[in-house]
């Protein structure tokens, strides 16, 4: 009986030690994963704050305000030009701002871009991305969660596309597709998990174009 009790005590002790070890590994992974993304986001915000400047073009600002009214958005959203990025994006939870790359967009393209990013804002997609980041952080060891996060982000872009081209004719849809394809050559690694990204990669481009058309 004594030997049996000692054996059970030893087995229980070993199990507890393994559980503590697994918990420590998980916690270290959480700290490293979250720390990496927080540090990356902080540096990205710092860089854009330094190099961004407000859009000076009055026509662009007028178009921006017009699209905001059409989408029934009354909150203050700043519009900046940032030469450090290659594709349009939105950042900021408390003070949201849309960043445009230093490029010569046509009025149609600019209208598509601004509407796309404002739809992201209206749907609170940055907050959803934050929840996705939290879920990925908690399950950093599970590759399936990364695939799920990627799928959610892709579906988010498809949903915005659908809203942008809603009630438009085939010609406007073709122009929208051409604008998105034009972003392929401008893919940039300067982005963060807590920002919208107008261009999601070549692999999803075909599905995205088919969905739009």
């Amino acid at each position: 009986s004594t030997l049996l009790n000692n054996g059970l005590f030893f087995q229980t002790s070993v199990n507890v030690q393994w559980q503590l070890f697994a918990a420590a590994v998980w916690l270290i992974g959480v700290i490293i994963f979250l720390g990496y993304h927080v540090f990356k986001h902080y540096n990205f915000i710092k860089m854009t704050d330094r190099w961004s400047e407000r859009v000076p073009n009055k026509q662009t600002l007028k178009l921006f305000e017009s699209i905001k009214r059409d989408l029934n958005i009354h909150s203050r959203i700043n519009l900046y030009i940032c030469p450090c990025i290659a594709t349009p994006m939105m950042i900021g939870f408390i003070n949201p701002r849309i960043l445009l790359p230093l490029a010569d967009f046509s009025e149609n393209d600019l209208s598509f871009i601004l509407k796309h990013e404002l739809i992201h804002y209206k749907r609170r997609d940055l907050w959803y991305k934050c929840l996705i980041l939290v879920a990925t952080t908690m399950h950093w060891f599970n590759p399936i969660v990364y695939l799920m996060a990627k799928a959610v982000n892709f579906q988010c872009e498809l949903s915005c596309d659908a809203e942008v081209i809603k009630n438009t004719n085939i010609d406007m849809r073709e122009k929208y597709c051409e604008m998105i394809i034009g972003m392929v050559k401008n893919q940039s690694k300067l982005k963060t998990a807590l920002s919208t990204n107008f261009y999601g990669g070549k692999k999803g481009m075909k599905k995205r174009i088919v969905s739009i058309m």
Side-chain angles (χ1 to χ4, degrees):
S1 176
T2 303
L3 290 175
L4 181 61
N5 288 335
N6 289 338
L8 290 174
F9 176 78
F10 177 77
Q11 185 177 0
T12 302
S13 178
V14 171
N15 289 337
V16 170
Q17 288 178 4
W18 274 108
Q19 289 174 3
L20 290 174
F21 175 76
V25 171
W26 172 80
L27 183 59
I28 291 172
V30 167
I31 293 172
I32 293 174
F33 185 90
L34 186 60
Y36 166 78
H37 281 284
V38 169
F39 180 75
K40 185 178 180 180
H41 184 71
Y42 172 78
N43 282 339
F44 183 81
I45 295 297
K46 190 175 180 180
M47 179 198 68
T48 54
D49 284 345
R50 179 179 181 183
W51 297 106
S52 298
E53 61 179 25
R54 290 183 182 272
V55 172
N57 191 298
K58 293 183 179 180
Q59 286 296 112
T60 300
L61 294 174
K62 186 177 179 181
L63 176 63
F64 183 55
E65 292 301 324
S66 174
I67 296 173
K68 281 179 62 180
R69 286 194 298 271
D70 291 341
L71 295 175
N72 198 28
I73 297 175
H74 304 290
S75 304
R76 180 180 178 182
I77 305 172
N78 294 315
L79 187 61
Y80 288 89
I81 293 177
C82 182
C84 301
I85 62 172
T87 57
M89 62 180 66
M90 182 177 67
I91 58 174
F93 291 94
I94 300 175
N95 297 311
R97 52 195 180 276
I98 294 174
L99 304 178
L100 299 176
L102 191 61
D104 187 19
F105 294 111
S106 67
E107 186 174 346
N108 272 337
D109 288 351
L110 195 57
S111 177
F112 287 140
I113 290 168
L114 295 176
K115 187 174 183 179
H116 185 99
E117 296 303 324
L118 285 171
I119 289 171
H120 274 306
Y121 171 81
K122 188 174 182 179
R123 295 185 173 186
R124 296 180 174 85
D125 286 341
L126 283 181
W127 292 100
Y128 291 129
K129 284 178 176 286
C130 186
L131 290 176
I132 292 171
L133 180 60
V134 171
T136 310
T137 301
M138 302 299 290
H139 299 272
W140 60 265
F141 53 88
N142 190 349
I144 295 177
V145 175
Y146 294 93
L147 295 176
M148 291 174 62
K150 187 176 181 180
V152 170
N153 285 326
F154 181 69
Q155 291 298 324
C156 181
E157 292 302 317
L158 288 181
S159 177
C160 281
D161 289 338
E163 189 66 24
V164 171
I165 52 92
K166 185 178 180 180
N167 298 325
T168 59
N169 56 36
I170 190 67
D171 291 335
M172 293 300 289
R173 294 182 182 218
E174 287 180 355
K175 290 178 180 178
Y176 185 63
C177 289
E178 289 172 0
M179 186 271 298
I180 293 178
I181 293 172
M183 295 291 175
V184 172
K185 61 182 179 181
N186 295 325
Q187 186 181 17
S188 174
K189 293 182 179 180
L190 288 176
K191 54 189 177 183
T192 169
L194 298 178
S195 68
T196 62
N197 188 21
F198 199 86
Y199 169 59
K202 296 180 181 179
K203 291 183 179 179
M205 186 61 64
K206 184 177 180 180
K207 292 182 180 179
R208 197 170 171 185
I209 298 301
V210 170
S211 176
I212 293 170
M213 297 304 295

